[in-house]
């Protein structure tokens, strides 16, 4: 897999190249023009400058030739403004710039650091057109080449055509160089930006390609210290070793930048990441990535994702993320910007953003036959028993398999076909976090398809192949919400349903659930769990075919007719279940409902509510001498069909 720092460096290289083009192409335009000089230069003319070198901190720009066409500025005016130590602010100078065009055949940017690393970007045929009052109608470059050398990580790459429209160079200078309070209006720098044919390969053989990247309405707000000061705060800093003052400065800068940046939209097409030198080469592809800051399409979208490595192949039709917000993250960063604040686990947990809703469509996963054989679970340790035989599932599983001519669960699969897993839709939603913990969540999986053999050995599911199921088609829902004021956790729905099988649905309410139960300290959260209580529980079972298959399979094992076996289960339900549960009225009601369900398997529902409004606590369960003692604390309603 791609090394994390390698990918980070690649990201920095890409961002630096785009920023460098914007900043550095703007820099030659930043010509100090005293009023007297403007008056003296009365004729429109073309001016050429040679061997221009501009240092910007650790970045040095070199331009062998700059041609300014259709301008009233003189050569002396332009040379004067290019002095690095000019006392006049860039924004002021840029606001006086006026020219038909500006061309730079070659613009070289060399950035030093960190350490001995050197990043060099060479832009070809840079041009700014229709530059009026510090704004350019169009900025372009025919292409660029980037190299990273001298450090522990090296690589090289190229960009195709780079372009931007409606560039406000004065606003760009203000954002980077002029301090603000972070509360001013958003200043748009670019109406649009585009980069084509990006290719970058690092020394590990990882190649990243992008067919095209486009952005619109890019800008931001002025912040304390300017954007340059905020970015410099991160340079060469190791947060693990930083003192409280340094950490506070960085967190404040991060919060400032997050709130300052404004992006109307971004889109990238044709992304691919490939590794060729790895022992297990991989390929990751994304057809389209898009981000919208606001409007009906606000959020993140990814389309046509594909992954392949060592025989494993997966595809995702679409991924969307909506309702995402960094507001809690910014608030937590503001707290950490106080030098007296401690970076405790609780404080860091508050950095969790509002995730919103993550949705996926048309997911498929194909595993090679070798992986498929190992997929049911890890191999048992020497001397251990077969987990499939010792599971809490059907005790007649192997016998049923043999009676139906199926493979016993203890023997390895012989099929060589790849394992295919599919999922039509998946969605997970998180509510606003409280100290980093979402107060609500909902998981929904629709159309989860997989071979029944993959769940062999799973309690309650291992015998499904013996009941005639070859492929499973499942839906899963888990929906919960936490009410801090009432100290309750509502289990709004936990359900599993299968095609030609049935549905198991559970709802309920737990009391005594306060914020301490989410404490990262296991001792604190574990102690808080002891105060949790069960207030209400509703269980519903709907049969759409599984029970009949179970009866048919077991009747063959026991050499009974299906109706005979069904009657035995009716008797066990009506007479045996009440005895096990304490023979109370509630126990008898449960047994009678189960008997009715077995007789005519349709729907079985059991509702239980604590007689005490506080609920039945953990201690009540642990000290109860029998199930009947617990049932005595509940109001139970059971019915079938």
């Amino acid at each position: 897999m791609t090394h994390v720092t390698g990918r980070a460096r690649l990201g920095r290289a890409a961002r630096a190249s785009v920023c460098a083009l914007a900043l550095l192409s703007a820099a030659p335009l930043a010509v100090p023009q005293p009023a007297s000089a403007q008056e003296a230069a009365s004729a429109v003319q073309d001016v050429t400058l040679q061997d221009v070198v501009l240092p910007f901190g650790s970045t040095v720009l070199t331009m062998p030739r700059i041609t300014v066409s259709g301008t009233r500025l003189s050569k002396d005016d332009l040379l004067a403004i290019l002095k690095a130590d000019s006392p006049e602010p860039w924004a002021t100078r840029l606001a006086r710039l006026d020219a038909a065009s500006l061309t730079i055949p070659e613009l070289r940017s060399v950035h030093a650091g960190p350490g001995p690393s050197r990043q060099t970007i060479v832009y070809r045929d840079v041009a700014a057109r229709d530059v009026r009052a510090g704004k350019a109608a169009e900025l372009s470059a025919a292409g660029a080449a980037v190299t990273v050398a001298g450090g522990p990580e090296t690589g090289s790459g190229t960009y195709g055509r780079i372009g931007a429209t409606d560039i406000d160079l004065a606003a760009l200078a203000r954002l980077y160089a002029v301090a603000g309070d972070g509360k001013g209006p958003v200043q748009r720098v670019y109406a649009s930006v585009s980069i084509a044919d990006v290719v970058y390969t690092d020394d590990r053989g990882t190649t990243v390609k992008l067919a095209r990247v486009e952005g619109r309405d890019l800008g931001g707000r002025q912040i304390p210290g300017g954007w340059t000061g905020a970015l410099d705060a991160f340079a060469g800093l190791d947060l693990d070793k930083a003192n409280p003052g340094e950490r506070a400065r960085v967190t404040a800068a991060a919060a400032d930048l997050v709130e300052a940046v404004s992006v109307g939209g971004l889109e990238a097409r044709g992304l691919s990441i490939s590794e060729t030198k790895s022992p297990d080469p991989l390929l990751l592809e994304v057809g389209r990535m898009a981000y919208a800051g606001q409007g009906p399409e606000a959020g993140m979208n990814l389309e046509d994702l594909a992954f392949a490595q060592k025989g494993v192949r997966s595809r995702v039709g679409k991924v969307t993320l909506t309702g995402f917000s960094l507001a809690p993250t910014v608030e937590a960063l503001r707290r950490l910007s106080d030098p007296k604040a401690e970076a405790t686990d609780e404080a860091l947990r508050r950095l969790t953003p509002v995730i919103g809703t993550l949705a996926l469509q048309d997911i498929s996963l194909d595993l090679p036959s070798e992986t498929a054989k190992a997929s049911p679970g890890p191999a048992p340790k020497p001397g251990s028993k077969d987990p499939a035989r010792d599971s809490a599932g059907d005790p007649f599983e192997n016998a049923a398999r043999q009676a139906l001519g199926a493979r016993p669960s203890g023997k390895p699969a012989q099929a060589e076909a790849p394992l295919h897993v599919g999922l039509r839709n998946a969605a997970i939603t998180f509510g606003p976090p409280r100290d980093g913990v979402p107060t609500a969540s909902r998981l929904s999986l629709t159309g989860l398809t997989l071979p029944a053999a993959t769940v062999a050995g799973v309690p309650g599911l291992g015998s499904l192949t013996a009941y005639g199921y070859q492929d499973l088609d499942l839906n899963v829902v888990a929906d919960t919400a936490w009410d801090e004021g009432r100290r309750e956790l509502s289990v709004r729905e936990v359900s599993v349903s299968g095609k030609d099988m049935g549905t198991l649905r559970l709802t309920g309410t737990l009391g005594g659930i306060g914020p301490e139960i989410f404490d990262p300290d296991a001792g604190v959260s574990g102690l808080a769990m002891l105060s949790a209580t069960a207030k209400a529980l509703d269980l519903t079972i709907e049969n759409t075919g599984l029970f009949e298959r179970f009866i048919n399979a077991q009747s063959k094992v026991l050499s009974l007719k299906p109706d005979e076996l069904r009657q035995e289960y009716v008797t066990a339900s009506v007479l045996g279940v009440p005895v096990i549960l304490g023979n109370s009225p509630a126990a008898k009601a449960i047994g009678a409902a189960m008997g009715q369900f077995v007789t005519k398997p349709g729907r079985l529902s059991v509702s239980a509510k604590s007689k005490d409004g506080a609920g039945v606590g953990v201690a009540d369960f642990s000290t109860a001498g029998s199930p009947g003692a617990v049932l005595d604390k509940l109001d139970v309603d059971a019915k079938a069909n």
Side-chain angles (χ1 to χ4, degrees):
M1 298 293 291
T2 306
H3 195 276
V4 174
T5 56
R7 288 177 178 153
R9 186 211 56 219
L10 173 59
R12 291 195 300 270
R15 292 192 298 271
S17 62
V18 176
C19 292
L21 175 62
L23 287 172
L24 306 184
S25 297
L29 303 178
V31 183
Q33 303 163 37
S36 58
Q38 288 185 328
E39 294 172 358
S42 59
V44 174
Q45 59 185 323
D46 295 347
V47 179
T48 300
L49 305 179
Q50 303 286 342
D51 299 325
V52 177
V53 178
L54 299 176
F56 290 92
S58 57
T59 300
V60 177
L61 307 180
T62 303
M63 291 157 280
R65 186 172 78 254
I66 304 175
T67 300
V68 182
S69 301
T71 182
R72 296 182 181 277
L73 299 173
S74 69
K75 185 174 183 179
D76 289 340
D77 295 332
L78 294 171
L79 289 174
I81 201 61
L82 293 177
K83 292 179 62 177
D85 57 353
S86 175
E88 193 173 15
W90 281 106
T92 303
R93 291 175 273 167
L94 288 171
R96 295 197 301 265
L97 182 62
D98 190 280
S101 67
L102 184 148
T103 58
I104 308 172
E106 179 182 290
L107 188 155
R108 180 180 296 268
S109 167
V110 179
H111 177 79
S117 179
R118 295 292 182 273
Q119 176 182 271
T120 302
I121 308 171
V122 180
Y123 299 98
R124 296 180 290 104
D125 299 329
V126 178
R129 297 178 178 84
D130 194 13
V131 182
R132 308 298 176 190
K135 297 181 180 180
E138 181 182 358
L139 180 66
S140 65
V146 55
T147 59
V148 179
E153 301 170 359
T154 62
S156 61
T158 58
Y159 297 158
R161 180 174 175 78
I162 304 171
T165 61
D166 293 341
I167 309 100
D168 191 333
L169 303 174
L172 181 66
R174 284 193 296 270
L175 290 177
Y176 274 87
V178 181
D181 59 6
K183 300 178 181 179
V186 171
Q187 302 177 52
R188 192 181 75 170
V189 176
Y190 303 101
S192 68
V193 175
S194 64
I195 307 173
D197 302 324
V198 179
V199 180
Y200 185 90
T201 302
D202 67 13
D203 55 350
R204 294 180 175 84
T206 301
T207 298
V208 178
K209 296 181 179 180
L210 270 169
R212 189 169 183 82
V213 181
E214 296 179 338
R216 59 179 174 82
D217 296 329
L218 309 179
R221 295 182 175 87
Q222 293 172 245
I223 60 176
W227 286 25
T228 299
L231 293 171
D232 287 345
F234 297 95
L237 180 66
D238 186 347
L239 283 177
D240 292 333
K241 300 178 181 179
N243 59 48
E246 293 172 331
R247 189 208 66 222
R249 185 174 68 256
V250 169
T251 53
D256 289 339
L257 285 173
V258 170
E259 289 191 310
V261 174
S262 176
V263 178
L266 287 173
E267 181 176 299
R269 292 183 178 272
L271 168 66
S272 70
I273 301 175
S274 61
E275 288 188 347
T276 57
K277 295 182 180 180
S278 170
D280 298 320
L282 69 81
L283 175 64
L284 172 65
E285 297 177 307
V286 181
R288 176 178 178 268
M289 298 184 295
Y291 167 79
Q294 56 186 350
E297 297 183 356
M300 176 74 73
N301 290 275
L302 290 84
E303 299 175 4
D304 300 328
L305 288 77
F307 173 84
Q309 183 180 37
K310 201 177 180 180
V312 177
R313 298 180 181 277
S314 65
R315 288 190 173 276
V316 180
K318 188 174 183 179
V319 179
T320 61
L321 178 62
T322 56
F324 181 85
S325 173
L326 287 171
T329 304
V330 172
E331 183 180 353
L333 287 171
R334 296 292 185 203
R335 293 178 182 177
L336 290 172
S337 65
D338 183 348
K340 297 180 181 179
E342 296 184 9
T344 62
D345 290 341
E346 182 179 0
L348 295 177
R349 190 173 62 180
R350 292 195 182 102
L351 293 170
T352 305
V354 175
I355 298 175
T357 299
L358 176 66
L360 302 92
Q361 299 177 8
D362 301 327
I363 306 168
S364 67
L365 173 65
D366 292 283
L367 303 174
S369 56
E370 294 81 7
T371 306
K373 291 179 182 180
S375 61
K381 297 180 180 180
S384 65
K385 297 181 179 180
D386 187 343
R389 292 174 177 167
D390 283 351
S391 72
D394 178 12
F396 302 106
E397 177 181 344
N398 285 338
R401 291 176 180 277
Q402 293 172 353
L404 296 175
R407 173 184 62 84
S409 63
K411 295 183 180 180
Q414 299 299 321
E416 294 297 327
L419 169 64
H420 176 79
V421 178
L423 183 60
R424 288 191 293 275
N425 292 284
I428 182 168
T429 301
F430 292 102
R434 199 274 190 188
D435 290 339
V437 178
T439 54
S441 65
R442 178 180 174 84
L443 169 68
S444 175
L445 306 178
T446 304
L448 174 61
T449 58
L450 67 162
T454 59
V455 297
V458 177
L461 300 177
S463 56
L464 289 177
T465 55
Y467 301 153
Y469 294 101
Q470 299 302 315
D471 296 295
L472 305 181
D473 191 336
L474 308 175
N475 298 328
V476 179
V477 174
D479 189 348
T480 63
W482 175 51
D483 187 325
E484 181 182 5
R486 302 180 65 177
R487 295 176 67 87
E488 288 183 349
L489 177 66
S490 297
V491 181
R492 295 185 287 205
E493 179 182 1
V494 173
S495 65
V496 179
S497 62
K499 182 179 180 182
D500 299 326
M501 298 175 69
T503 301
L504 174 67
R505 186 173 186 271
L506 178 70
T507 64
T509 302
L510 301 178
I513 308 296
E516 60 275 2
I517 208 165
F518 304 110
D519 195 285
D521 187 325
V524 175
S525 59
L527 183 62
M529 278 296 297
L530 296 177
S531 64
T533 62
K535 291 187 172 183
L537 179 68
D538 293 287
L539 174 66
T540 301
I541 298 175
E542 293 187 41
N543 171 64
T544 56
L546 175 60
F547 190 80
E548 289 82 1
R549 295 195 185 203
F550 166 77
I551 290 292
N552 291 334
Q554 296 304 322
S555 63
K556 292 181 180 181
V557 173
L558 300 174
S559 299
L560 294 173
K561 293 181 179 180
D563 288 343
E564 294 174 339
L565 181 60
R566 187 188 301 269
Q567 188 57 48
E568 289 193 8
Y569 280 128
V570 171
T571 302
S573 299
V574 175
L575 300 179
V577 169
V579 173
I580 295 173
L581 296 180
N583 230 0
S584 65
K588 292 178 181 179
I590 294 173
M594 291 180 62
Q596 293 175 8
F597 176 81
V598 173
T599 300
K600 187 179 179 181
R603 176 172 177 166
L604 172 66
S605 62
V606 179
S607 299
K609 185 177 181 180
S610 173
K611 295 178 180 179
D612 185 342
V616 180
V618 175
D620 296 319
F621 285 98
S622 61
T623 59
S626 65
V630 176
L631 284 178
D632 289 340
K633 299 178 181 294
L634 305 173
D635 289 325
V636 178
D637 181 28
K639 64 179 80 173
N641 303 317

